[in-house]
Amino acid sequence: MKNIAVQKGLSHVAAYLKNAGYRVFEFDTSQKNHGDFFDGFDAVVLTGLDDDVTGIQNTRVNVPFIEASGMTPEEIKDAIERKLQ
């Protein structure tokens, strides 16, 4: 089972991914400041990449980030699956 981090406020996405068989963990933007926060996740779904909501512009992270703005839950799930192939 894949572990997906979903930013709080995207509860409709979290519910959809749970129903699709993913293990989903919601996070808020204060948690992103912990250097190892994203370790253990297979993908991260969030909004606001342009605002550097991840706080990791100077850090290498091997986890795919999905920018959810303007996407349906189905499109987000498809993007996750493409990145995890």
Side-chain angles (χ1 to χ4, degrees), residues 1-66:
M1 183 179 298
K2 300 292 184 184
N3 296 318
I4 309 298
V6 176
Q7 184 177 351
K8 285 185 179 174
L10 297 173
S11 56
H12 64 293
V13 174
Y16 183 85
L17 293 174
K18 284 178 188 176
N19 287 335
Y22 291 96
R23 185 177 299 144
V24 177
F25 300 88
E26 291 189 71
F27 71 95
D28 63 38
T29 54
S30 68
Q31 292 170 294
K32 69 174 170 50
N33 295 321
H34 301 285
D36 59 350
F37 175 74
F38 295 112
D39 290 349
F41 291 111
D42 297 294
V44 178
V45 178
L46 57 126
T47 61
L49 277 177
D50 292 337
D51 298 326
D52 192 35
V53 72
T54 61
I56 57 166
Q57 71 270 19
N58 296 320
T59 306
R60 276 190 84 127
V61 175
N62 292 323
V63 176
F65 288 84
I66 309 297

